Amino acid sequence: MAFPEVRMRRLRKTEALRRLVRETTLTIDDLVMPLFIVPGHGVVNPVKRMPGVSQLSVDQAVEECRRIADLGIPAVILFGIPQYKDATGSSAWREDGVVQEATRAIKSAVPALAVITDVCLCEYTNHGHCGVVVGDDVDNDATLELLAKEAVSHARAGADVVAPSDMMDGRVVAIREALDAEGFEHVPILSYAAKFASAFYGPFREAAQSTPSFGDRRTYQMDPANGNEALREVELDLEEGADIVMVKPASFYLDIVWRVKETFACPVAAYQVSGEYAMIQSLIQAGAVDEKRAIMESLVAIRRAGADFVLTYFATRVAPWLRDVAS
Ligand code: PBG
């Protein structure tokens, strides 16, 4: 049968019908809110290129987390901007580091909220690279031990999940072994498995003060042109013990999200990164798109591609809309 018997528009006639045949849902359960933690007290430092996002000191982050939990959002991911940076990023595994302090404070104030910690060195090194620099290269194997120390210190502070974002080879197994050796065998690893060398991390690097002082990240992050390689990265991370794999960025890489889910049927996360946020946010501020529809469309698309959940700076904005779906 075909037109005129078949009319696709019949099921689009009313919102009630559209709801009945809607294939993809976005719920509060699918959201993770990223937070930038800075030293100090009472600090709320707006990030210039990410309107609506601020760097927060630990006390402010705790208040924000109470609000996040009240909204029903299940998790936050923490990024730390330390007081001191050095060549190895040693502030990354300090017991009194910003992320460690924030994790302890959030877990004690809002225990039900899951705290995911970003495990990487770029925010902590004075050169801004995600590992130990030897000559003009990032030394893979020397970095593993440092990432493992950082992950263990996050677990010790009470992190529910650790999320390595450095893209060194072998970091998942190195972190798994270190966690297990310290009695943290129940702490899952959310691996940034297919992380691309994207221009769209620009606003984040301003927020996290992690722009490389020389070169770029193309010797460790993936070439945006590669899809098969992403599957290989995911396969290796799963073999090494990753519990959840992430694709990042999200919107320009929906084919990767789809292929990863189809191939491995494992838990898949996607990161709607700072540049995606800033892009949508500029359209909203220019009055060019409807805020709610644009944000919802961007997130539903990521879910439709196969992501189980989305790390997004819009989490706190969409949560109230999702609570009242009939509105
Ligand atoms: C750290 C890290 C980055 C992001 C998350 N973890 C930046 C980078 O790799 O340069 C980007 C997040 C965003 O853009 O929102 N390695």
Side-chain angles (χ1 to χ4, degrees), residues 12-183:
R12 298 176 195 149
K13 203 167 157 55
T14 66
E15 177 58 9
L17 290 176
R18 290 191 294 267
R19 281 171 61 198
L20 286 175
V21 298
R22 188 158 291 147
E23 298 174 36
T24 307
T25 57
L26 177 72
T27 73
I28 299 177
D29 300 343
D30 310 323
L31 302 172
V32 176
M33 180 71 189
L35 296 177
F36 298 104
I37 316 293
V38 289
H41 193 86
V43 183
V44 179
N45 212 356
V47 178
K48 208 173 88 217
R49 290 184 215 279
M50 298 177 71
V53 174
S54 295
Q55 300 172 327
L56 304 172
S57 53
V58 171
D59 60 302
Q60 297 300 312
V62 168
E63 288 320 304
E64 182 64 6
C65 284
R66 287 189 211 278
R67 194 169 77 87
I68 289 169
D70 285 345
L71 284 168
I73 295 169
V76 290
I77 180 163
L78 305 184
F79 296 93
I81 298 107
Q83 191 113 45
Y84 304 107
K85 303 192 183 209
D86 59 22
T88 55
S90 64
S91 295
W93 54 86
R94 285 175 70 108
E95 204 191 312
D96 62 351
V98 268
V99 165
Q100 290 81 353
E101 297 278 17
T103 302
R104 270 191 296 272
I106 294 165
K107 288 310 292 182
S108 111
V110 206
L113 184 69
V115 171
I116 305 170
T117 56
D118 183 82
V119 175
C120 196
L121 296 176
C122 61
E123 297 114 76
Y124 303 92
T125 51
N126 50 19
H127 45 69
H129 276 291
C130 304
V132 181
V133 170
V134 177
D136 59 358
D137 191 27
V138 175
D139 186 325
N140 191 87
D141 299 13
T143 302
L144 299 182
E145 192 191 327
L146 308 185
L147 292 168
K149 273 207 275 195
E150 180 181 6
V152 167
S153 80
H154 290 174
R156 199 167 281 137
D160 295 285
V161 179
V162 294
S165 68
D166 52 283
M167 288 301 278
M168 297 300 123
D169 290 316
R171 84 284 172 78
V172 173
V173 67
I175 289 171
R176 184 72 272 156
E177 282 174 0
L179 288 172
D180 291 0
E182 296 292 325

Side-chain angles (χ1 to χ4, degrees), residues 120 122 165 195 201 204-205 217 221 248 273-274 313:
C120 196
C122 61
S165 68
K195 178 173 175 179
Y201 306 150
F204 171 97
R205 290 182 189 169
R217 303 206 202 292
Q221 298 180 349
K248 178 186 170 194
V273 302
S274 56
Y313 303 95

